[in-house]
Amino acid sequence: SFRVKDRDCEEIGEALGSKDVAPRAGLHCAPLAHESGGTLSTGTLRASVSAFNTEREIDQFLRALGEIAGA
């Protein structure tokens, strides 16, 4: 899970979705973990990467996140 500093996780999630990337945004059914991590009020984004993802898909995710986050 991750956050983009000073940006709403739902907003970033929607922007990634418009670039054909499908992260999960919110509390992920883990409010106690968010409480201990200091993200209870903001939530996080979660990218689920597995052995089934291609290098191209991961590059697409990183490129889209960089564009949206202003990196």
Side-chain angles (χ1 to χ4, degrees):
S1 290
F2 64 96
R3 293 198 63 236
V4 175
K5 187 176 180 174
D6 300 325
R7 301 282 299 273
D8 180 72
C9 69
E10 297 286 342
E11 172 193 331
I12 299 294
E14 285 182 31
L16 285 169
S18 73
K19 294 182 177 288
D20 295 326
V21 176
R24 302 283 299 188
L27 295 180
H28 314 294
C29 299
L32 293 177
H34 285 282
E35 185 174 35
S36 68
T39 58
L40 185 60
S41 64
T42 62
T44 60
L45 286 152
R46 185 181 72 217
S48 298
V49 180
S50 75
F52 298 104
N53 289 103
T54 65
E55 188 173 333
R56 181 177 174 265
E57 290 170 327
I58 294 169
D59 287 342
Q60 177 185 355
F61 163 69
L62 293 173
R63 189 171 35 258
L65 182 59
E67 291 171 6
I68 292 163

